[in-house]
Amino acid sequence: QVQLVESGGGPVQAGGSLRLSCAASGRAISSYAMGWFRQAPGKEREFVAGISWGGGRTSYAESVKGRFTISRDNVKRTVYLQMNSLKPEDAAVYYCTAGQTYGSNWSSHNYWGQGTQVTVSS
């Protein structure tokens, strides 16, 4: 139904910036809320940010508020995560999602990408 492909991950210095992209395909993709989760080794999956289908509402984890920005371009069928002031604790595999909500409940994010690795060096 929906396919998601993340890109833009890689190594970055602490304090630096990185922009992740998620290319989406499938029927009525613009009608889906989308989001980002992340998972670091040995840690549980963590909600990062979400955005409503129209882009008018967003949600962020407290740990990334003021540093990360989620946006979407429904013409390009792409969602972005702009990450600024990166910290070592931000290192993780980042997953793009599409589903019923832009909130933190992972079970309502029905479709998941394969993930893209972000590493942050001190």
Side-chain angles (χ1 to χ4, degrees), residues 4-79:
L4 305 171
V5 180
E6 302 96 331
S7 63
V12 66
Q13 189 77 16
S17 298
L18 205 62
R19 188 177 76 161
L20 306 183
S21 299
C22 175
S25 62
R27 294 190 298 273
I29 187 61
S30 295
S31 296
Y32 288 89
M34 301 188 72
W36 292 91
F37 284 73
R38 67 187 182 187
Q39 187 165 25
K43 296 185 178 180
E44 65 181 7
R45 181 169 46 189
E46 177 187 24
F47 171 76
V48 177
I51 188 166
S52 63
W53 63 267
R57 299 182 298 278
T58 58
S59 180
Y60 295 94
E62 289 294 329
S63 60
V64 306
K65 284 184 178 179
R67 300 189 297 118
F68 291 11
T69 302
I70 187 170
S71 62
R72 67 188 298 169
D73 185 334
N74 287 340
V75 175
K76 296 182 178 180
R77 297 189 172 193
T78 302
V79 62

Side-chain angles (χ1 to χ4, degrees), residues 38-46 88-95 116-120:
R38 67 187 182 187
Q39 187 165 25
K43 296 185 178 180
E44 65 181 7
R45 181 169 46 189
E46 177 187 24
E89 51 262 45
D90 294 318
V93 176
Y94 283 71
Y95 297 92
T116 185
Q117 178 73 53
V118 173
T119 59
V120 184

